[in-house]
């Protein structure tokens, strides 16, 4: 089944404790991205990757890191999480860029205390 | 400023009633246009998209949308809503130029369906 998986689905952590949210797709997609979704602010792109080893900042990259060592995986790293990073996070992938159908993961709800 | 506007934050309709969700964009050129749906507790799923050609596009789950260039709009419609249509609906656009042709999202419209 074609899908994007994210783990964990839910995470409660404390300020400053490094965490990684994994994202994996099985569709051989080139383009992957991370979004955060906040009430009243909609979806905002954090980082994107056009291909392996090619990543770039989206609209709200501060406090986040990503890597793309393999085509299928695109982890999101929070080196020192802060409460303002409490949010719902989505990973998405597509064949190429935004005009292609985006396939979204189920989301990761992160709470930083 | 370039933007995507969904004027209705929240809409409630009765099951079986018709539905129209509005979307307007503000760009110099005609962008690619999309509607995505987010069911409770799930990720987003593409309903339909418009690039060019026939301005009335059909999507999944019985939805359709009409592109009106003169109004810079891409409204989503469904003739008869089902309870399972209760969800968040997002309009999005992509400018067909540039290196990062990313989606620009509206803020979403939350749809509630009364039995």
């Amino acid at each position: 089944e074609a899908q994007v998986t994210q783990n964990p689905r839910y995470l409660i952590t404390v300020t400053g404790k490094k965490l990684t949210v994994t994202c994996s797709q099985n569709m051989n997609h080139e383009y992957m991205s991370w979004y955060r979704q906040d009430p009243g602010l909609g979806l905002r792109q954090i980082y994107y990757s056009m291909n392996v080893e090619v990543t770039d900042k989206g609209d709200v990259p501060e406090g986040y890191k990503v890597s793309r060592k393999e085509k299928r995986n695109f982890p999101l790293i929070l080196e020192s999480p802060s409460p303002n990073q409490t949010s719902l996070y989505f990973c998405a992938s597509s064949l190429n860029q935004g005009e292609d159908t985006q396939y979204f993961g189920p989301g990761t709800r992160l709470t930083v205390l | 400023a370039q933007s995507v506007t969904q004027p209705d934050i929240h809409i409630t309709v009765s099951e079986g009633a018709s539905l129209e969700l509005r979307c307007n964009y503000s760009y110099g050129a005609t962008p690619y246009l999309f509607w995505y749906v987010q069911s409770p507790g799930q990720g987003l799923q593409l309903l339909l998209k418009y690039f060019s050609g026939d301005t009335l596009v059909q999507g999944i789950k019985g939805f359709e949308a009409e592109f009106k260039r003169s109004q810079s709009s891409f409204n989503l419609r469904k003739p008869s809503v089902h309870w399972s249509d209760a969800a968040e609906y997002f309009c999005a656009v992509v400018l067909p130029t540039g290196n990062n042709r990313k989606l620009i999202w509206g803020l979403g419209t939350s749809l509630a369906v009364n039995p």
Side-chain angles (χ1 to χ4, degrees):
Chain A
E1 179 191 356
Q3 60 181 350
V4 178
T5 57
Q6 292 179 231
N7 282 293
R9 292 291 311 278
Y10 303 90
L11 179 60
I12 300 175
T13 189
V14 296
T15 299
K17 186 176 181 181
K18 180 179 178 179
L19 67 92
T20 299
V21 183
T22 64
C23 171
S24 183
Q25 51 91 6
N26 63 2
M27 295 167 278
N28 202 36
H29 284 166
E30 302 282 346
Y31 189 84
M32 297 186 74
S33 57
W34 276 102
Y35 292 92
R36 61 178 291 174
Q37 184 179 26
D38 302 288
L41 297 177
L43 285 151
R44 294 179 292 169
Q45 192 184 56
I46 303 171
Y47 268 95
Y48 66 94
S49 169
M50 293 200 193
N51 209 331
V52 175
E53 302 293 0
V54 180
T55 65
D56 208 344
K57 297 176 180 178
D59 300 314
V60 287
E62 293 77 21
Y64 304 94
K65 285 175 57 177
V66 293
S67 68
R68 187 92 181 273
K69 294 184 171 59
E70 311 162 275
K71 183 180 276 192
R72 64 184 293 123
N73 296 322
F74 191 45
L76 179 70
I77 302 157
L78 284 71
E79 295 266 2
S80 182
S82 62
N84 64 12
Q85 293 178 298
T86 292
S87 187
L88 180 58
Y89 291 87
F90 288 102
C91 180
S93 74
S94 63
L95 198 58
N96 287 296
Q97 294 204 37
E99 65 263 34
D100 295 312
T101 299
Q102 300 289 305
Y103 293 84
F104 283 80
T108 295
R109 185 165 292 281
L110 172 66
T111 301
V112 183
L113 302 175
Chain B
Q2 299 174 334
S3 65
V4 178
T5 302
Q6 293 180 246
D8 304 303
I9 297 173
H10 186 84
I11 286 181
T12 300
V13 299
S14 297
E15 192 167 17
S18 64
L19 171 70
E20 182 170 32
L21 302 182
R22 296 181 291 163
C23 173
N24 295 94
Y25 64 89
S26 173
Y27 288 94
T30 299
Y32 299 149
L33 299 152
F34 305 80
W35 276 99
Y36 280 82
V37 60
Q38 182 182 20
S39 298
Q42 298 186 26
L44 284 77
Q45 180 185 24
L46 179 70
L47 281 175
L48 46 78
K49 61 185 176 183
Y50 173 78
F51 286 6
S52 65
D54 191 345
T55 56
L56 185 64
V57 294
Q58 303 297 320
I60 62 171
K61 305 183 187 224
F63 285 91
E64 65 178 26
E66 186 172 13
F67 167 60
K68 292 186 177 180
R69 185 187 307 273
S70 61
Q71 298 177 18
S72 297
S73 70
F74 189 55
N75 293 349
L76 182 71
R77 301 194 294 246
K78 187 169 185 177
S80 177
V81 170
H82 188 262
W83 63 265
S84 60
D85 293 324
E88 188 92 15
Y89 291 82
F90 292 92
C91 179
V93 308
V94 170
L95 291 177
T97 57
N99 289 330
N100 180 22
R101 296 191 294 278
K102 66 177 183 180
L103 284 157
I104 309 297
W105 298 89
L107 295 184
T109 297
S110 177
L111 174 67
V113 180
N114 287 334

